[in-house]
Amino acid sequence: MKDVEKTLRNLIEKQGVVYISSIDEEGFPNTKAMLPPRKKEGIKVFYFTTNTSSMRVRQYKINSKACIYFCDRRFFRGIMLKGKIEILEDNLSKKMIWKDGDELYYSKGVTDPDYCVLKFTAESGRFYSNFNSENIIIK
């Protein structure tokens, strides 16, 4: 790939769903579909909204290792990023990615104690396209 980061950013930007994985208490991966990240810093840092009371948050508090996967089903290609999750509950982080309409999920607004931010920081990745896989170095 000529411009790896540009190619991956384009793939990520076009996806309406991201798959996010955590590790449960028995050491097994747990994966679920989520809405795309609210904010991105290149292909290294991604911010998601979720419920503080969720199973995923409980799992990340025990083991911060995580994986996110963006899949372009049309062209059968994808990017897997491995890294760690931080759970952010401060008002500045919550306001940073809050959107009008989020009250539907968090009825008490941006200060809802059941609203938090997942900050994923990638450490490495793997890109699949055209029957080839390539390890990605995250800078």
Side-chain angles (χ1 to χ4, degrees):
M1 257 187 302
K2 291 181 182 175
D3 188 343
V4 174
E5 187 164 340
K6 182 179 178 185
T7 300
L8 299 179
R9 272 197 327 261
N10 287 338
L11 185 149
I12 289 166
E13 285 295 324
K14 294 177 181 172
Q15 305 316 308
V17 173
V18 60
Y19 299 92
I20 187 168
S21 299
S22 56
I23 305 296
D24 70 15
E25 295 78 12
E26 297 174 7
F28 289 98
N30 289 198
T31 302
K32 74 177 246 176
M34 287 186 71
L35 295 172
R38 291 284 177 90
K39 181 180 176 186
K40 298 175 270 323
E41 297 172 14
I43 61 168
K44 185 166 181 72
V45 180
F46 300 82
Y47 296 87
F48 301 90
T49 64
T50 198
N51 295 90
T52 309
S53 62
S54 71
M55 174 188 77
R56 198 91 30 218
V57 167
R58 284 193 306 276
Q59 290 174 343
Y60 289 133
K61 284 182 177 179
I62 295 168
N63 186 343
S64 64
K65 290 182 180 177
C67 177
I68 61 175
Y69 187 79
F70 296 90
C71 178
D72 180 348
R73 295 185 330 194
R74 182 175 175 209
F75 295 106
F76 202 71
R77 59 189 185 150
I79 176 69
M80 176 195 66
L81 297 170
K82 296 188 301 184
K84 296 200 175 158
I85 290 273
E86 293 174 67
I87 300 158
L88 308 177
E89 298 182 72
D90 63 284
N91 284 334
L92 186 62
S93 297
K94 290 164 76 168
K95 287 178 184 176
M96 174 181 64
I97 65 169
W98 183 264
K99 286 187 177 178
D100 288 338
D102 281 347
E103 296 85 1
L104 179 66
Y105 309 103
Y106 313 105
S107 60
K108 296 178 183 169
V110 73
T111 59
D112 193 323
D114 197 33
Y115 163 57
C116 70
V117 175
L118 298 179
K119 178 184 178 185
F120 174 83
T121 304
E123 296 174 359
S124 64
R126 192 155 174 84
F127 177 64
Y128 177 84
S129 179
N130 298 320
F131 304 105
N132 291 304
S133 294
E134 183 177 337
N135 289 327
I136 305 297
I137 297 169
I138 307 297
K139 298 176 185 176

